[in-house]
Amino acid sequence: MTEAADAQQLRPGGKPERPDGDERSHGDDRSDGGEIRISAIAPAGGPGGPGTPPDLAAVQRRTVKVLMSAQVVAGIGMGSMLSSGGLLVERLTGSEGAAGLATTMTTLGAALLSVPLAALSRARGRRTGLGVGWLVAAAGALTVLAAARLGWFPLMLAGMLLVGSGTAANLQSRYAAADLATSATRARSLSLVVWSTTLGSVLGPNLSGPGEAVARALALPEAAGTFVFSVAAFLAGWLVIRLRLRPDPLLLAAAAQAGAAAGSAEREGNPAPAARQPAFLARMGTAMRHVATRPAALTGLTALVIGHAVMVSVMTMTPVHLAHHGASLSVVGFTISLHIAGMYALSPLVGWAADRLGRVPVILLGQAVYVLATLLAGTSGGDRWAVTAGLFLLGAGWSCATVAGSTLLTESIDAEHRSEVQGVSDTLMNLVGAAGGALSGGLVAFVGYGGLNAAAAVLVVPVSACALFFSLRTRSTR
């Protein structure tokens, strides 16, 4: 069954039949999180044959599996360049302060491309939005290789900007896992896609050694070799999404939403209004005003944005800090691998905790882990094992803030505004992360690596305050 056919079966004009004949009101067709309940759209027992709506539960399981597969292969591309981007910049410019520009440009690229990719997903579906994201990232990695060969630093920055598209696609994949999820399992579905990045992202930094051999064969600087692996990985991620993400989860969710609205209007004797799409900027403005009226959404957004800044600022300068204490590329790659493992490997546990214990407690747990991480790394001096342990905890804190924050934000926003809000949240995450990456080099130059960690630890205060305020307000209301 094609995604076009799936969507057509759920468009207004063909009311989906309920298997139990229940004629519930429009309000009962929705869960608290704003999604259409699967039981209200598709037969619970599975596909009913040609002409019946698709089994959304089965589509959701397939969607999560496909997204996980894409994250595994494409994650190699993102991970392989994390440990070498800063070193490549430093060797091209001869400046430690400029080393942070690699992560800064990647993060800035993700910020600039997040909203366009989200808009493309809304118009053409996740398959197009995510696929284009990985293709642009592959083009960026190729540009970096050309710049390394020519020794042209501005061209390398342009390439890193395009590589940021991979970060944007990586982040938006977690939202794709929530398109058809129910409120009881949304955090776990989202966290499984986050977790699937573990294998590729942990393997990627450890390709620094083989990357040196590839670089020598291609007459490139040693730190540029891993970008060859990035090109191949990004293209593989695009192929998985392009060939296997069918039916498209976002298009199917939108069709289900429209079908339920049409069915409710028919039961009430009112004709379904014609769908009209406002202009893009108008949708963005409306979506952000919607966020401003939802304390839960603001809490989730704050946790995402500031938590990302803490992680990026410390992670950016850690490879340079280790290299200056005599660590080899292999040691640097191993440290970044464990950091990425902390970000992704524990995410299913974090998702389970967010579903069972609540989103806000997990956000607060993440802030406590951030404090411990920066304390350990910031006081390590030249102790590589202490830095490695601190970076692992830094990744774990990011996982708590990102999984719980993304889930809280998604379920606090009405379905019609989610694509825009998700795109804006990723843009803000990456803009603040880019600022953190840009400032990190200067901070290390002036106050050292320990001072950088101390500054990062201060950022947990506004997140904790926002989460505690929301929690106390919710209890008072109840």
Side-chain angles (χ1 to χ4, degrees), residues 202 333-343 385 388-389 391-393 395:
V202 171
F334 176 73
T335 299
I336 297 300
S337 290
L338 287 184
H339 166 65
I340 296 172
M343 292 173 64
W385 291 110
T388 300
L391 263 287
F392 175 81
L393 291 175

Side-chain angles (χ1 to χ4, degrees), residues 91-403:
R91 293 178 185 182
L92 287 179
T93 63
S95 170
E96 176 186 351
L101 288 176
T103 302
T104 299
M105 295 305 292
T106 302
T107 310
L108 181 60
L112 294 176
L113 293 168
S114 290
V115 169
L117 290 180
L120 187 59
S121 292
R122 178 186 175 96
R124 303 288 298 275
R126 296 288 187 191
R127 191 162 65 96
T128 300
L130 297 179
V132 168
W134 292 123
L135 276 181
V136 173
L142 280 172
T143 303
V144 171
L145 289 171
R149 181 67 179 268
L150 298 172
W152 192 12
F153 179 58
L155 183 61
M156 181 195 169
L157 292 183
M160 296 300 292
L161 190 77
L162 295 178
V163 167
S165 177
T167 300
N170 180 291
L171 290 172
Q172 290 189 18
S173 292
R174 76 193 193 280
Y175 289 128
D179 287 336
L180 295 172
T182 63
S183 58
T185 61
R186 184 175 293 118
R188 277 170 282 182
S189 295
L190 188 150
S191 67
L192 283 173
V193 173
V194 174
W195 170 81
S196 64
T197 311
T198 305
L199 180 60
S201 296
V202 171
L203 176 62
N206 287 294
L207 295 175
S208 298
E212 292 182 33
V214 171
R216 287 192 295 270
L218 299 176
L220 296 169
E222 288 184 349
T226 56
F227 285 87
V228 176
F229 302 125
S230 295
V231 173
F234 293 150
L235 289 176
W238 167 73
L239 278 174
V240 171
I241 292 296
R242 183 68 183 173
L243 298 178
R244 299 191 59 208
L245 193 61
R246 298 172 183 269
D248 190 284
L250 186 58
L251 294 181
L252 192 56
Q257 185 87 17
S264 175
E266 182 178 332
R267 286 193 299 273
E268 295 171 2
N270 300 319
R276 295 182 61 186
Q277 289 292 331
F280 174 73
L281 291 179
R283 292 202 310 268
M284 298 300 298
T286 301
M288 294 316 295
R289 287 192 294 272
H290 189 66
V291 171
T293 63
R294 304 291 179 96
L298 286 173
T299 301
L301 185 61
T302 301
L304 284 171
V305 172
I306 300 183
H308 194 65
V310 173
M311 187 276 292
V312 171
S313 60
V314 175
M315 183 273 295
T316 297
M317 294 307 297
T318 298
V320 178
H321 172 73
L322 288 172
H324 285 178
H325 284 83
S328 65
L329 279 177
S330 296
V331 171
V332 172
F334 176 73
T335 299
I336 297 300
S337 290
L338 287 184
H339 166 65
I340 296 172
M343 292 173 64
Y344 300 124
L346 300 178
S347 56
L349 179 61
V350 173
W352 174 86
D355 280 334
R356 291 293 299 272
L357 305 177
R359 322 312 190 199
V360 173
V362 175
I363 290 174
L364 290 172
L365 174 63
Q367 307 314 300
V369 174
Y370 270 148
V371 172
L372 181 59
T374 53
L375 179 64
L376 188 58
T379 59
S380 62
D383 187 342
R384 300 170 191 172
W385 291 110
V387 173
T388 300
L391 263 287
F392 175 81
L393 291 175
L394 187 75
W398 180 90
S399 182
C400 291
T402 301
V403 171

